[in-house]
Amino acid sequence: MGFGPRLGAYLIDAVVANLIVGVLYLAWLGYAGDVRGLAIYLVFLLEEFILISTAGQTIGMRLLGMRVIRLRDRGRQSWPWIGVRTLLLALLVPVFIWDRDQRGLHDRAAGTVVVRDPARADSAR
């Protein structure tokens, strides 16, 4: 997958995290204004971890037809490795350093790769 679709998925997921934090604030969870950025960041990482470890894709990835799979056998990676991937993603640096196959360091460390979602490709035909 190229950089463009990944950036698009990232932006969609960032908007979703921002909306979740905003709804929580309006509903019942009051917090100081300077904590909002940290709350959005943590919700974004939680969203990444939960959705990729259970469904193999985030909301942004689903909308743009991508999926995270285990490189070894194209299956879904186990949650401890998705935890490693998410922790490295939190550092942001691994996202911007990739190899010739366009795999970020966070994907390389977790043994994963981002691919076109085969289910979306089949339904589009």
Side-chain angles (χ1 to χ4, degrees):
M1 293 295 316
F3 184 72
R6 289 182 195 209
L7 180 61
Y10 170 81
L11 292 174
I12 291 168
D13 293 332
V15 168
V16 169
N18 199 340
L19 289 172
I20 290 170
V21 170
V23 167
L24 289 174
Y25 176 75
L26 290 174
W28 55 272
L29 182 68
Y31 49 82
D34 58 345
V35 180
R36 181 175 173 82
L38 179 61
I40 293 169
Y41 182 63
L42 293 175
V43 168
F44 174 83
L45 293 174
L46 188 62
E47 173 190 356
E48 284 280 326
F49 175 71
I50 291 172
L51 293 178
I52 290 178
S53 61
T54 59
Q57 58 192 168
T58 63
I59 295 168
M61 288 177 175
R62 181 163 178 85
L63 290 174
L64 296 181
M66 297 183 285
R67 176 173 297 280
V68 175
I69 61 170
R70 189 173 41 234
L71 186 61
R72 179 173 29 111
D73 60 3
R74 303 186 61 82
R76 193 173 323 152
Q77 186 59 284
S78 62
W79 69 265
W81 285 110
I82 298 301
V84 168
R85 182 183 187 275
T86 304
L87 286 174
L88 289 172
L89 181 65
L91 299 175
L92 292 179
V93 174
V95 177
F96 296 110
I97 300 173
W98 56 84
D99 62 10
R100 66 177 184 202
D101 297 327
Q102 296 184 338
R103 288 176 60 209
L105 290 179
H106 63 299
D107 280 319
R108 288 183 58 82
T112 59
V113 64
V114 178
V115 297
R116 282 254 170 244
D117 185 8
R120 292 261 325 219
D122 291 342
S123 66
R125 291 182 198 175

